Amino acid sequence: MSEMKKATRDGFGEEIVKLGKKDNNIYVVDVDIGKSCKTGAFRKELPDQYLNVGIAEQNAAGVAAGLATCGKIPFVVTYAVFGSMRMCEMIRQEICYPKLNVKIACSHGGVTPANDGASHQSIEDMGVLRTIPNMTVIMPADYASAKKLVEKAAEFEGPVYLRFTRDAIPMIYEEDVELEIGKAHKIQEGKDVAVIANGDTVCIAMEAAKELERQGISVKLLDMHTIKPLDREAVLECIRDTGKIITVEDHNILNGLGSAVCEVAAEAGNAVVRRIGVQDQFGQSAPYHRLLEMNGITAENIVNTAKELMKN
Amino acid sequence: MKKMSVKELEKQSLELRKKVIRMIYKAQSGHPGGSLSAADMVTALYFREMKIDPSNPHWEDRDRFVLSKGHVCPIQYASLATLGYFDEGVLETLRQEGSMLQGHPDMKKCPGIDISTGSLGQGLACGVGMAIAGKKDRKDYRVFVMVGDGECQEGEIWEAAQTAHKYELDNLIVFVDNNNLQLDGITDEVMPNIHLGKKFEAFGFDMYEIDGHNMKEITDTLDRIRMTKDGKPKCIFANTIKGKGVSYMENECGWHGVAPNEEQYTQAIRELDEQIAAL
């Protein structure tokens, strides 16, 4: 892991320009928070492929659906809390039900809009969208993987929800990292405990894994960037190899990565799962790291949880 | 296809009304009232105005039709079947398991449906997206959207209207089927709309107020609109009668989403036949 930090929304902002230049069917549909969601370069360099429909998210979803029926590949760009819940039924009716090729690309995932407070922190979005048929739900773990997964989402035919961080997070991967939608990325192999994380918690999980290895506990670590479709095979492998799984996410522990992993584990049997994430509570205006601490989303908590699992 | 005369269109709309009544009677489920209020406008679009090819439903240059008030799809299904998008026998399967004719229009199941609708308030935004795509691609197709007056209580309609103005969508024509009834009662009582035509005008639309059952007025208005390329989206504010053409359904809120029984079915068909004979 490098010392460098970058927000994944910046990865999106850079990649979407590259993609838009390659394919003039790629559109950005902004809702007046383009500056904050990093579409400024796209707007400047590709004005013919750029729309701004004002502060009107529901309409943005419908406009995108209409564009998609005419062969365009629109990326609706907003904050996670609006791109999932404000637009939810429009996404369901006009994008997912007819399986149109619309991407919802959202900055400000999880508690990363820390100082903005609870109204802007998005802790339910991935869970909400995970329950809609035909939707794919992704959160990249760093800048390089954000770029890669944006590219993959553009190539993929169908609705995709992409969730980025507002704040800078450590850069984990090299620029040429290979990732596939729906396939967990194995960061390291291990035999005692499996840690499955996504988004901005992957770097925290890596820190915990390092400490656990130092203490003699072997950790299998997965970046589960796609929570739907979930890589069931990767979860089953964790169960076979360790029988002990810890999930880590910057999302409510209800309905997100942890729940998705539990669904597989419960059906398979033979595994214990501990979920680390937002404790089904709203946040507040506070520093990002403090919000993580308030919910136990820390390397220390992962280490302690792993050690507790090892005792049983 | 030769353009139909006003008289031929009037006859066609009555024939479509009969098909609507039969479909809903057969299914014992569906929405007759709004199908009948929209019938004349839908007829004018499908049988005269729109540039479409029933043998090629995905033709890129076709005009689009968005039935935002998706629950009145029986009138759209009847039109599509009559034009040959699918076999007329399929109309008998409305709302049945496995049918392409879902309770609300499904673009992936039914040929000729340009967008799936059914949740009110959402179709206009989709039409705006299609019209923007047409402008961007320098295509001359147009997008026709039909909304209900009750439906305009949804805020998204007005978000979409703003966007139509901003992007100067003179290739977008919105019909407001102003039948003044919605599920729970009289629209002006459930939630007064004041004057929807004037609202669209205030949002930057050219507005044409017409009698939505006067075929000559409908076609004359469409002729005028075809000639007007002024950068402004169009609104045809059409005063209509819910249940139009079947005496006991007219202006009766109770016929929003109820199927006729055998006796009512027979009477409706007889009344429509009499109107055809009187033409």
Side-chain angles (χ1 to χ4, degrees):
Chain A
M1 189 161 43
S2 114
E3 295 295 305
M4 290 268 292
K5 284 185 174 187
K6 252 185 177 176
T8 57
R9 62 175 166 163
D10 289 308
F12 165 71
E14 288 168 34
E15 188 64 24
I16 196 71
V17 177
K18 213 164 96 190
L19 295 171
K21 283 181 179 169
K22 265 198 282 187
D23 182 353
N24 63 10
N25 279 321
I26 289 185
Y27 276 55
V28 162
V29 181
D30 259 338
V31 290
D32 190 50
I33 40 181
K35 274 184 202 157
S36 181
C37 297
K38 303 297 172 186
T39 55
F42 191 99
R43 176 185 182 173
K44 203 168 149 220
E45 295 186 43
L46 298 163
D48 287 344
Q49 293 158 242
Y50 176 81
L51 302 172
N52 195 327
V53 300
I55 308 166
E57 293 81 6
Q58 306 173 34
N59 172 49
V63 168
L67 288 167
T69 66
C70 299
K72 308 299 176 201
I73 308 170
F75 281 70
V76 180
V77 182
T78 178
Y79 293 162
V81 72
F82 312 133
S84 55
M85 286 167 277
R86 187 60 169 261
M87 290 162 54
C88 184
E89 204 241 340
M90 291 73 197
I91 292 175
R92 175 184 184 271
Q93 167 70 31
E94 299 299 352
I95 296 170
C96 288
Y97 176 52
K99 209 174 176 183
L100 292 174
N101 201 11
V102 175
K103 320 300 170 186
I104 315 289
C106 294
S107 176
H108 291 48
V111 300
T112 70
N115 297 332
D116 289 331
S119 63
H120 283 55
Q121 293 160 9
S122 189
I123 58 171
E124 311 90 342
D125 54 331
M126 297 176 84
V128 168
L129 293 176
R130 184 166 83 89
T131 63
I132 304 180
N134 294 337
M135 184 55 110
T136 290
V137 181
I138 295 173
M139 184 174 194
D142 80 337
Y143 170 79
S145 63
K147 292 183 72 162
K148 176 60 74 176
L149 288 164
V150 169
E151 184 193 346
K152 294 282 175 184
E155 288 167 3
F156 178 88
E157 177 79 29
V160 179
Y161 177 73
L162 290 150
R163 184 200 214 219
F164 307 111
T165 65
R166 181 199 176 281
D167 288 12
I169 55 172
M171 293 169 73
I172 300 169
Y173 299 118
E174 300 296 325
E175 283 272 342
D176 59 357
V177 60
E178 279 303 321
L179 299 169
E180 291 296 332
I181 291 175
K183 274 275 177 228
H185 179 78
K186 199 180 292 172
I187 293 174
Q188 68 178 53
E189 199 50 90
K191 56 182 181 9
D192 295 328
V193 175
V195 178
I196 305 178
N198 68 8
D200 47 322
T201 67
V202 172
C203 62
I204 300 168
M206 286 170 76
E207 198 185 318
K210 214 163 137 189
E211 174 59 24
L212 284 165
E213 297 279 346
R214 207 182 58 78
Q215 298 187 26
I217 297 171
S218 165
V219 180
K220 184 184 182 85
L221 178 56
L222 299 185
D223 170 1
M224 194 66 86
H225 46 75
T226 310
I227 73 159
K228 185 187 175 180
L230 186 77
D231 187 346
R232 287 178 62 88
E233 197 38 55
V235 176
L236 292 173
E237 192 185 291
C238 290
I239 295 170
R240 279 198 301 272
D241 292 357
T242 70
K244 304 176 189 70
I245 299 175
I246 300 169
T247 61
V248 196
E249 61 194 313
D250 181 0
H251 185 280
N252 199 339
I253 53 164
L254 302 183
N255 237 347
L257 171 67
S259 295
V261 168
C262 282
E263 287 158 17
V264 177
E267 284 174 0
N270 311 323
V272 183
V273 181
R274 293 279 186 274
R275 291 168 300 155
I276 292 176
V278 174
Q279 298 297 302
D280 196 24
Q281 61 182 349
F282 288 111
Q284 56 173 292
S285 290
Y288 169 60
H289 75 272
R290 278 293 303 137
L291 290 161
L292 294 177
E293 279 166 18
M294 286 172 202
N295 288 288
I297 308 170
T298 60
E300 188 188 1
N301 190 27
I302 298 170
V303 168
N304 291 340
T305 306
K307 283 157 73 177
E308 174 237 306
L309 282 178
M310 289 302 291
K311 275 188 212 149
N312 300 331
Chain B
M1 189 168 62
K2 189 181 145 286
K3 278 200 172 178
M4 280 191 181
S5 69
V6 166
K7 194 161 202 151
E8 285 167 329
L9 288 167
E10 285 169 347
K11 179 166 184 289
Q12 186 60 262
S13 77
L14 289 164
E15 295 289 356
L16 295 176
R17 281 182 163 95
K18 281 171 65 182
K19 290 177 190 176
V20 164
I21 296 295
R22 181 169 172 79
M23 290 167 78
I24 296 173
Y25 168 65
K26 278 275 175 185
Q28 279 300 297
S29 173
H31 296 79
S35 296
L36 297 182
S37 66
D40 297 301
M41 296 175 282
V42 171
T43 304
L45 285 177
Y46 272 113
F47 294 87
R48 182 177 188 272
E49 190 63 20
M50 286 201 295
K51 187 180 67 177
I52 47 176
D53 178 0
S55 67
N56 186 9
H58 297 290
W59 177 34
E60 281 186 15
D61 295 333
R62 73 190 185 281
D63 287 341
R64 270 76 171 166
F65 179 59
V66 177
L67 186 62
S68 192
K69 44 179 291 185
H71 55 282
V72 308
C73 53
I75 187 64
Q76 188 178 19
Y77 295 157
S79 305
L80 293 171
T82 306
L83 285 167
Y85 280 86
F86 49 83
D87 193 88
E88 289 221 20
V90 176
L91 294 178
E92 308 270 320
T93 68
L94 173 72
R95 289 179 170 239
Q96 305 301 310
E97 186 179 335
S99 174
M100 68 166 78
L101 306 184
Q102 292 289 295
H104 295 82
D106 183 329
M107 66 185 289
K108 290 288 163 92
K109 292 193 169 75
C110 180
I113 302 294
D114 293 314
I115 185 91
S116 304
T117 55
S119 173
L120 292 176
Q122 301 188 18
L124 184 53
C126 300
V128 165
M130 295 172 187
I132 289 173
K135 290 266 178 196
K136 295 275 187 188
D137 292 342
R138 296 192 165 72
K139 289 186 180 290
D140 66 357
Y141 69 72
R142 294 184 297 162
V143 182
F144 297 89
V145 179
M146 179 164 289
V147 300
D149 55 341
E151 182 184 12
C152 289
Q153 291 154 5
E154 290 279 7
E156 190 190 349
I157 292 284
W158 305 104
E159 296 183 359
Q162 294 175 153
T163 314
H165 163 71
K166 175 180 173 183
Y167 289 100
E168 302 182 349
L169 302 180
D170 53 13
N171 55 350
L172 177 78
I173 300 100
V174 182
F175 280 90
V176 179
D177 182 3
N178 190 45
N179 61 32
N180 199 31
L181 284 177
Q182 57 192 107
L183 199 150
D184 270 349
I186 296 167
T187 302
D188 280 341
E189 288 174 6
V190 175
M191 182 50 67
N193 274 318
I194 310 179
H195 192 296
L196 283 172
K198 287 184 180 157
K199 281 187 182 170
F200 274 100
E201 214 167 15
F203 274 75
F205 283 60
D206 283 334
M207 193 270 285
Y208 307 80
E209 181 162 359
I210 65 164
D211 170 355
H213 299 305
N214 183 323
M215 193 58 80
K216 175 103 177 47
E217 254 188 74
I218 297 169
T219 55
D220 283 352
T221 306
L222 287 167
D223 286 343
R224 274 176 71 195
I225 285 173
R226 207 180 316 114
M227 301 302 159
T228 314
K229 291 267 178 230
D230 59 356
K232 290 169 78 177
K234 317 297 172 204
C235 168
I236 299 179
F237 178 67
N239 293 304
T240 57
I241 294 166
K242 201 158 180 170
K244 172 72 177 174
V246 178
S247 61
Y248 60 87
M249 288 187 182
E250 288 191 3
N251 278 323
E252 283 297 329
C253 178
W255 286 100
H256 171 83
V258 176
N261 63 27
E262 191 180 344
E263 191 187 333
Q264 290 162 332
Y265 166 71
T266 311
Q267 187 189 335
I269 297 296
R270 191 176 58 237
E271 287 184 19
L272 291 163
D273 276 334
E274 283 165 7
Q275 292 169 65
I276 292 169
L279 274 176

